[in-house]
Amino acid sequence: MIVIIRHFFYSNYVGLSLWPFIILKNVYLKQDEVLINHERIHLRQQQELLILPFYFLYITEWLLRALLYFDSYKAYQNISFEREAYQNELNMEYLSERKRFSFIKYLWSH
């Protein structure tokens, strides 16, 4: 389910997945197939980790990477969940071919 909440986002961020919703900054983003695919990848990650553990792991990985890089945005870009989503967002068939827990291979690879 896609929800529009204009004042929910910080800076350049335009979309967010909070199970079971995709939250977008504006209604026009509903037409952005790449963004929607990216957020659907996150929904699948959340589902397979039973939702709350996903958020715990996401925040923990971000914190560890922020300490490693001394850069919160670089930390965000290198979270395994984000790397999987960014690297596959252009592939509209990705979710139909994706293996469970695929984000794991993005933990250490660059």
Side-chain angles (χ1 to χ4, degrees):
M1 175 185 293
I2 298 177
V3 178
I4 309 301
I5 305 177
R6 213 167 125 224
H7 302 290
F8 189 72
F9 294 94
Y10 172 76
S11 190
N12 296 340
Y13 297 97
V14 295
L16 174 70
S17 296
L18 291 172
W19 179 262
F21 304 103
I22 294 175
I23 304 169
L24 300 175
K25 191 171 190 170
N26 67 56
V27 70
Y28 305 109
L29 292 168
K30 282 181 158 182
Q31 309 309 316
D32 187 335
E33 292 180 8
V34 173
L35 174 63
I36 299 303
N37 195 43
H38 178 103
E39 297 306 333
R40 284 187 175 141
I41 293 169
H42 287 316
L43 289 177
R44 180 71 57 85
Q45 295 164 341
Q46 293 167 22
Q47 181 182 16
E48 68 192 11
L49 285 171
L50 306 176
I51 302 155
L52 290 179
F54 168 86
Y55 297 119
F56 175 78
L57 291 171
Y58 190 102
I59 292 167
T60 300
E61 188 175 348
W62 178 82
L63 286 170
L64 291 172
R65 292 185 184 281
L67 291 172
L68 178 68
Y69 299 125
F70 295 105
D71 181 333
S72 63
Y73 186 68
K74 188 173 181 181
Y76 157 78
Q77 290 178 309
N78 283 285
I79 296 169
S80 58
F81 302 111
E82 292 299 339
R83 291 180 55 200
E84 179 188 11
Y86 278 116
Q87 287 183 23
N88 296 288
E89 66 188 7
L90 294 173
N91 179 357
M92 298 305 153
E93 303 302 315
Y94 180 68
L95 285 174
S96 64
E97 31 188 71
R98 180 184 182 268
K99 294 181 179 158
R100 289 178 57 100
F101 303 105
S102 289
F103 67 89
I104 291 172
K105 68 183 175 187
Y106 296 90
L107 274 170
W108 295 281
S109 64
H110 282 294

